[in-house]
Each structure stands twice: as C-alpha cells, then as structure tokens.
Amino acid sequence: MEAVMVTLIILSSIALIALIVMQSGKSEGLAGAISGGAEQLFGKKKARGLDAVLQKATIVASVVFFVATFALAYII
C-alpha cells in the first residue's frame, strides 16, 4: 500500500509541475505588474479555452497529491 501511495505522489507531483509550467502568465510585463492584481481580484479576465482546462487539471492534481500525502502519513 505504501508503494502505491508513493507512486501516486510522484506521478501527481510530476503532473503538477508540468501543468503549472504549461499555464500562461496572468500578468506579463510592467503594465500587468501594476494592474494585474486588481484585474485578478475583480475577475475581469476569466480563464478560457486551454487555460481553463489547465487550471481545472491543476486543481485535480493538487487534490490528488494532498490526499495521497495525508493517506501515506496515516498509513505510516
């Protein structure tokens, strides 16, 4: 059971790294640094298309990672 959990943690961490690197930056350049936080706070830019899919996949991979980590800690 420990080997299955460790394998799941390794696979989900690799998936998390890949998904995060594939996402586009939310605030690019100096203009994004100044107004990017406000736009993100008030939701002017909604994720569409590939960014939405990557965002949902990142959430799923992170939930799998944390559940597997807590399960492994409980088993050990």
Side-chain angles (χ1 to χ4, degrees), residues 7-62:
T7 304
L8 188 60
I9 289 171
I10 291 171
L11 291 177
S12 63
S13 64
I14 292 171
L16 270 172
I17 292 169
L19 288 168
I20 291 171
V21 168
M22 287 173 38
Q23 291 180 6
S24 64
K26 301 294 181 207
S27 58
E28 298 170 349
L30 184 59
I34 296 170
S35 66
E39 289 177 3
Q40 188 176 15
L41 179 64
F42 296 116
K44 290 183 181 177
K45 290 186 177 180
K46 299 276 184 174
R48 300 193 191 273
L50 182 61
D51 285 336
V53 173
L54 289 174
Q55 183 178 10
K56 290 176 184 175
T58 303
I59 292 170
V60 170
S62 64

